[in-house]
Amino acid sequence: MQSSSTMCISQTQALRKRSSVSDASTTGRRLQSTSSHSTVGEFTAKTTSPKRILEKHDSIDARKCLVAQAGLENFIHSITAPLDLTLPKAVRFNMNGNGRMQTWEDVFMAEQVYTQCLGISKRIYQMHAFTHEPDRKFAYFILEEHNERSLPFLPGFDFYVLVFTYYNDNNEVTAVDVQYDQLSFFLHCVGLAQMHAWFMECVVTPFAIVWAKAYSKSGLVNPFTFMLQLVLFPVLLMYYLEVL
């Protein structure tokens, strides 16, 4: 009995050693998060690695959180609740790099003024989830805007904004960085984005697909022939219009 148990122990130890060696050899190739059970692919980069990506993934807090409010001020006060943040009077508010404000009072005032100037009668702000990095005192989320218009000929529209929030050791919000496609926003406001989307989908895309198929079958696909087409097409179009 003693010899058989000794044999089992030695076999178990040998299996564990082989298993640990096997795990060590595959760690660099296939790292798996304990929370998501999804594999991080093998790749090379200068400043990151699968191991560092997984370390970051395990340290962040990503959760679903529904906040829906009419008006920016109501929304801002509501989204601070999940992380127990407070709003001091001063804040570094960066509006897409084109507007920088230093107080919440200015932020709320500016939002009310340009909302009225753009003919927006009601704005419903929504957040459905956020990502929090406690080590960096940093959280970010996608802000969804539902915009209703004050004039009947102006189309309503939905828009999406990426919002980054920074806070200090006292859980006070110190900075907010808002990023969005500003040109797209104003094109939506005047209805040109909707017209452009229809034109690209119904007119340009079918023609582009026919051109791409013919171009691919020619066997001459390269940057030089592509640039040549860009030069010749407007010239031939202008010549055709003059002939007509």
Side-chain angles (χ1 to χ4, degrees):
M1 290 290 292
Q2 185 174 1
S3 61
S4 62
S5 61
T6 304
M7 184 181 301
C8 289
I9 293 173
S10 62
Q11 289 178 349
T12 302
Q13 291 176 344
L15 288 172
R16 285 178 178 175
K17 288 181 179 180
R18 280 185 290 182
S19 177
S20 62
V21 172
S22 176
D23 291 342
S25 64
T26 57
T27 298
R29 291 175 295 163
R30 296 186 63 198
L31 288 174
Q32 196 169 35
S33 171
T34 57
S35 58
S36 65
H37 303 289
S38 58
T39 303
V40 177
E42 179 184 8
F43 57 89
T44 58
K46 293 181 179 179
T47 58
T48 190
S49 66
K51 182 179 179 181
R52 292 187 62 180
I53 291 173
L54 288 180
E55 289 174 350
K56 176 181 178 180
H57 178 75
D58 292 335
S59 66
I60 66 175
D61 175 24
R63 66 177 94 163
K64 294 180 66 175
C65 178
L66 174 60
V67 177
Q69 293 284 349
L72 181 64
E73 187 169 359
N74 294 332
F75 177 79
I76 291 295
H77 285 289
S78 297
I79 63 173
T80 59
L83 296 179
D84 294 325
L85 302 178
T86 58
L87 299 176
K89 292 183 178 180
V91 64
R92 296 190 303 274
F93 196 94
N94 179 11
M95 194 68 174
N96 215 46
N98 296 316
R100 297 178 183 271
M101 289 163 277
Q102 304 300 323
T103 66
W104 284 112
E105 182 180 359
D106 290 344
V107 172
F108 299 142
M109 178 274 299
E111 191 264 348
Q112 291 178 356
V113 171
Y114 85 76
T115 293
Q116 295 176 359
C117 291
L118 297 175
I120 298 175
S121 60
K122 182 181 292 184
R123 308 184 83 175
I124 307 298
Y125 295 91
Q126 305 169 55
M127 177 189 73
H128 294 274
F130 67 90
T131 301
H132 179 214
E133 298 187 25
D135 295 340
R136 299 175 58 189
K137 295 180 175 57
F138 166 67
Y140 58 94
F141 61 93
I142 295 177
L143 167 64
E144 300 182 26
E145 294 182 5
H146 173 74
N147 297 282
E148 298 179 0
R149 313 308 296 275
S150 56
L151 299 174
F153 59 86
L154 292 175
F157 63 95
D158 294 335
F159 203 73
Y160 300 89
V161 178
L162 190 57
V163 180
F164 300 89
T165 305
Y166 304 84
Y167 60 93
N168 58 20
D169 293 333
N170 298 322
N171 277 14
E172 296 176 333
V173 176
T174 58
V176 176
D177 186 8
V178 178
Q179 297 183 10
Y180 64 100
D181 187 343
Q182 194 164 13
L183 177 60
S184 176
F185 177 79
F186 286 109
L187 290 177
H188 276 83
C189 283
V190 298
L192 290 179
Q194 295 85 334
M195 295 172 57
H196 177 265
W198 176 87
F199 180 78
M200 295 299 295
E201 179 181 356
C202 300
V203 179
V204 175
T205 301
F207 172 78
I209 291 176
V210 173
W211 165 82
K213 288 180 178 179
Y215 188 31
S216 179
K217 289 180 180 179
S218 70
L220 300 174
V221 180
N222 59 68
F224 300 103
T225 57
F226 178 68
M227 293 299 297
L228 184 62
Q229 291 179 78
L230 292 180
V231 174
L232 290 179
F233 179 76
V235 172
L236 294 175
L237 180 61
M238 292 176 61
Y239 175 77
Y240 177 75
L241 293 176
E242 288 180 359
V243 172
L244 293 180

